[in-house]
Amino acid sequence: MAPALAAALALTLVLAPPAAAQDGGTGQAGGAAAANGAGRDGSAARDVPVQVDPSDVTADSLISRHQSEPRDPNRGPVTNLPLPRYVSLKGSEGNARRGPSLSHRIDWVFRHPGMPLRVVAEFGHWRRVEDQDGAGGWVHYSLLSGVRTAIVTTDMAELRARPDANAAVIARAEAGAIVRLHECEIEWCRVSGGGAKGWVVKAGLWGVDPDETRE
C-alpha cells in the first residue's frame, strides 16, 4: 500500500455522529490525556461547558430509587447498561474529574475526538472512564458517545479484504491510530479510517473485548 494512505489512516481522527443523551453504549494513545489538570501539550486545563437541565432528577434520587431493588453488579445503577463497556469521546476535549461533580478537580483532559474509553462506574449524570492505560476519572455523560471506536495497538497493522490472514492487504495503520469499529468476529474486527476499510486482527485493537462479537 502507498505510504501516503498508511499515514492518512494513522493520523485520522474518527468523526463520531452525536449519540443519544445517555451514553448509548457502551494515555498514551495519541497523547489523548493529560495529568494534574494540564494537557500533555502543556496547556492549562479549562472547564468544558456542561449543559444540565435543572429539572433533571438528581443523582441522589437516582441512586436511592433503586436501593431496595436487587441490582446486577455487572450493570450500571443508572443506565442498566453493562459494566464495564466501551464508549467514545464525543467532542474535541473532555475533562476527567476526581469525583462525580463539577466541584472536583480535573485530573485528566482527553483531547482526541472519537477516542475509545471504558466506562467502569456510574453515578447520576457522571461516568467513570478509563483510557488505554487505565488513566481517567469521572466525565459528564454529555461528553460521551455510544459510537464504537478502537485504538490500533500493533504498529503497521494490516487491514485485509476479508477476515483471513491470507486475504489481500488493503491498508496499514500505525500504532495509536483511532479507527471506527464495525463488525467483529472472535478473532477479527472490521474497522475504517482515513478513507480505508478492512479487517484487522482483534488482538491488535484496544476498545473491544476479546470475546465480543458485533454484527
Side-chain angles (χ1 to χ4, degrees), residues 56-198:
D56 281 346
V57 64
T58 65
D60 288 339
S61 63
L62 280 169
I63 299 301
S64 61
R65 184 176 60 188
H66 299 292
Q67 281 181 345
S68 60
E69 303 173 8
R71 188 175 71 82
D72 184 347
N74 297 316
R75 290 191 170 271
V78 179
T79 64
N80 200 38
L81 294 172
L83 287 179
R85 66 180 179 275
Y86 292 97
V87 295
S88 58
L89 185 64
K90 184 185 294 186
S92 60
E93 186 173 293
N95 293 333
R97 296 177 180 273
R98 187 157 296 185
S101 76
L102 293 174
S103 63
H104 287 87
R105 62 169 290 179
I106 299 170
D107 284 339
W108 292 81
V109 181
F110 299 114
R111 298 195 187 280
H112 276 310
M115 73 174 295
L117 297 166
R118 180 165 51 201
V119 178
V120 296
E122 301 180 347
F123 185 84
H125 294 297
W126 296 82
R127 309 289 177 263
R128 182 168 178 78
V129 300
E130 298 175 346
D131 67 5
Q132 179 186 12
D133 297 323
W138 291 89
V139 175
H140 195 271
Y141 77 82
S142 64
L143 304 178
L144 303 174
S145 168
V147 173
R148 292 293 298 276
T149 61
I151 291 177
V152 176
T153 58
T154 302
D155 194 28
M156 301 309 292
E158 296 174 334
L159 277 66
R160 296 184 178 271
R162 302 186 313 279
D164 185 329
N166 296 317
V169 176
I170 297 173
R172 289 182 174 85
E174 295 180 2
I178 297 175
V179 293
R180 177 78 176 268
L181 194 65
H182 301 283
E183 307 99 304
C184 283
E185 299 181 354
I186 293 299
E187 297 182 354
W188 296 81
C189 284
R190 192 165 177 248
V191 301
S192 62
K197 181 182 289 187

Side-chain angles (χ1 to χ4, degrees), residues 193-210:
K197 181 182 289 187
W199 292 87
V200 64
V201 175
K202 186 192 288 184
L205 298 172
W206 187 87
V208 58
D209 290 326

Side-chain angles (χ1 to χ4, degrees), residues 42-59:
S43 59
R46 57 186 177 82
D47 280 349
V48 176
V50 173
Q51 301 297 324
V52 178
D53 187 343
S55 65
D56 281 346
V57 64
T58 65

